[in-house]
Amino acid sequence: ATQSVWSAQNILKIAAVVVAAFMALYNLTAFPLTWYDEGSHLHVPKTLVQLGAYADRSSEGLRYYGPTIGVGPTVMLPIALVFKMFGIGLLQARMVMALYLAAAILVFYRLARELAGPSFAWIATALLVSSRGVATLEIGRQVLGEVPGLLFVSASLWMWFREWDHPNWKRLVLAGVFLGLAIVTKYQYLLVLAPALSLAWLANLVYYRSTPQRTFVIPGLVAAACFGLWQVYMIVYLGPATASENLSALRTATAGAAMVFSPALMRRGIGELLSLKVYLMMLVPALMYGFILSLPRQRTGHQWGILWLIVAVNLVWYVVASVSWIRYAFLGLAVSSLFVARFFQDLTDGFRADWAALWTGLSKGCALSARQALNWVMLAWLIIMIVVPLGQTAKSIILPGPNAPIAMAAYMNENVPRTALIETWEPEMGFLTDHNYHFPPQLLLNTAVGYIWLNGKPPSQEYNFVQTQSPDYVLVGSFARWVDLYPTDWLATHYQLVTRVGGYELFRRNR
């Protein structure tokens, strides 16, 4: 019997690995389609390999701000290394991200197992991977910073929690390094982790007293040192003036997207968190239960309290101050899978399905006890919560739509001279081809964010490169069209449509 159970467990593990590998790797360049954010990030490793500069690039030269702070060197440098070894391409870049995705899933599982055992870890990880609101698979297959950041946060918490009772300074230093790497990878995580962990430290001082203060102080100082060293390097590498531009751009972007305090966007953010795609609307009850879990003045209570604070700080900021783009809630929603899994674990007696009791009751025509009925209802809800969204994501991966960016890049390579000046705000094209593109300045993005989310002025009111410089071509894609960047009447008068591929339209200047 033991061998049979062991075999079943092995089969489950193998099946999980196969499914995870398939979901991470299949049709890697076709889903999701590459787009604005990913394209801008990809400029940096491409420029590093081709020109030896850690920078973005436009027709007027190098730009040392923008994408260089959007995602950290933990992502950019491995991709550049792969480009150097195997050539520049979207597949090569996304293979690096697939490895990050696999590592994040594995380390998150280890963190969950440390908290509440293997069965809990399986369910929590399945929720993390499957939830459409978290979108771990969709985000993790792209060159974005959220999933690598989650990897480092999970590694830090796992290492940190293991040292709770008898903290070892070497492992606390390692936990701090991982925490610092998470912040360097995704600056947005600093907005969440710094206040959340500071509150957790204060809670240990005045309430829990469950671990020595060095358990907080050492990782915090090491993380701050990691972040500070990267900033010093950037100042030395880029120079004080460019570093100042980076800081100014970061402040402007933060004011425009992360500190907006709009009642309309608050309502939208709350609606997103309460939607079916976020754990089938079970987020709020799970977090309420999680708060109860965090009350005991002991190791487990304090650790659940730290996780709860990370979620609370992220989601409160997302609702109250951000532009309510749900990707801004990624870290909080990812960690929330632990609370949702624990909520269902405790409601179902450890995910127990008493088939014998069910069969006996049905065969004898007897009613199930209230407890048994609740177990079956909650288990069914949990299965739906995992299987249905996972199936939806699998369908998108297996049957992706037309790949317009790749098709447009192929057309450009065949029909447009490399020396022609092309104006566009579709940075993915600057990665997919080697043409001479001019991109709008990075700070214009803040105006575009205000236009879309806050009913501000369109960016076309303060950007007239097409009108004044008359580039040879203008390439209009989904992003430029979304923010209404290029006036259609001007294009109709001075340019002619050459081709339309998917959502892209290529215009050539009238001779």
Side-chain angles (χ1 to χ4, degrees), residues 26-33 94 132 138 141 393 396-397 400:
Y26 190 72
N27 277 336
L28 192 54
T29 60
F31 176 82
L33 297 180
R94 286 192 170 184
R132 302 278 281 185
E138 182 176 354
R141 288 163 61 99
T393 303
S396 298
I397 291 173

Side-chain angles (χ1 to χ4, degrees), residues 125-197:
T125 306
L127 288 166
L128 170 73
V129 170
S130 63
S131 172
R132 302 278 281 185
V134 185
T136 302
L137 289 172
E138 182 176 354
I139 292 174
R141 288 163 61 99
Q142 304 175 66
V143 181
L144 302 172
E146 281 81 0
V147 169
L150 176 64
L151 164 64
F152 295 124
V153 170
S154 300
S156 176
L157 292 172
W158 177 39
M159 184 67 64
W160 194 27
F161 288 174
R162 294 176 67 190
E163 295 304 303
W164 208 257
D165 295 326
H166 305 288
N168 177 290
W169 72 268
K170 292 181 180 180
R171 291 185 178 179
L172 291 177
V173 167
L174 186 58
V177 169
F178 284 132
L179 191 62
L181 290 175
I183 296 169
V184 168
T185 299
K186 189 69 180 174
Y187 281 16
Q188 177 191 314
Y189 283 11
L190 182 62
L191 293 174
V192 176
L193 295 173
L197 298 181

Side-chain angles (χ1 to χ4, degrees), residues 69-72 145-146 149-150 152-153 176 178-199 219-231 247 250-251 254 258-259 309-310 313-314 317 327-328 330-332:
I69 59 174
V71 173
E146 281 81 0
L150 176 64
F152 295 124
V153 170
F178 284 132
L179 191 62
L181 290 175
I183 296 169
V184 168
T185 299
K186 189 69 180 174
Y187 281 16
Q188 177 191 314
Y189 283 11
L190 182 62
L191 293 174
V192 176
L193 295 173
L197 298 181
S198 297
L199 289 172
L221 291 177
V222 172
C226 290
F227 183 72
L229 285 173
W230 174 243
Q231 301 312 305
L247 182 60
L250 182 61
R251 282 199 302 263
T254 300
M259 296 292 171
L309 283 170
I310 291 173
V313 170
N314 191 179
W317 165 72
R327 201 175 116 202
Y328 286 171
F330 174 82
L331 181 61

Side-chain angles (χ1 to χ4, degrees), residues 21-77:
F22 174 82
M23 300 290 272
L25 295 172
Y26 190 72
N27 277 336
L28 192 54
T29 60
F31 176 82
L33 297 180
T34 186
W35 62 298
Y36 181 95
D37 274 15
E38 183 178 32
S40 65
H41 298 155
L42 284 166
H43 286 192
V44 178
K46 181 178 181 179
T47 304
L48 183 58
V49 170
Q50 291 184 334
L51 301 179
Y54 192 86
D56 189 7
R57 184 178 7 171
S58 183
S59 61
E60 77 278 9
L62 298 177
R63 295 177 176 179
Y64 291 96
Y65 53 93
T68 56
I69 59 174
V71 173
T74 48
V75 174
M76 301 298 196
L77 297 183

Side-chain angles (χ1 to χ4, degrees), residues 345 348-354 375-376 379:
Q345 181 185 42
T348 59
D349 295 327
F351 312 112
R352 284 184 56 216
D354 195 341
N375 271 22
W376 281 105
L379 285 171

Side-chain angles (χ1 to χ4, degrees), residues 265-286:
L265 292 178
M266 292 179 195
R267 290 191 293 271
R268 184 182 186 277
I270 292 172
E272 289 275 29
L273 297 181
L274 298 180
S275 65
L276 285 171
K277 68 181 179 181
V278 179
Y279 302 118
L280 273 184
M281 300 191 298
M282 296 302 292
L283 177 65
V284 171

Side-chain angles (χ1 to χ4, degrees), residues 42 79 82-83 89-98 143 431:
L42 284 166
I79 292 176
V82 171
F83 285 173
L90 184 60
L91 178 61
Q92 294 90 311
R94 286 192 170 184
M95 284 296 297
V96 174
M97 302 314 297
V143 181
F431 173 75

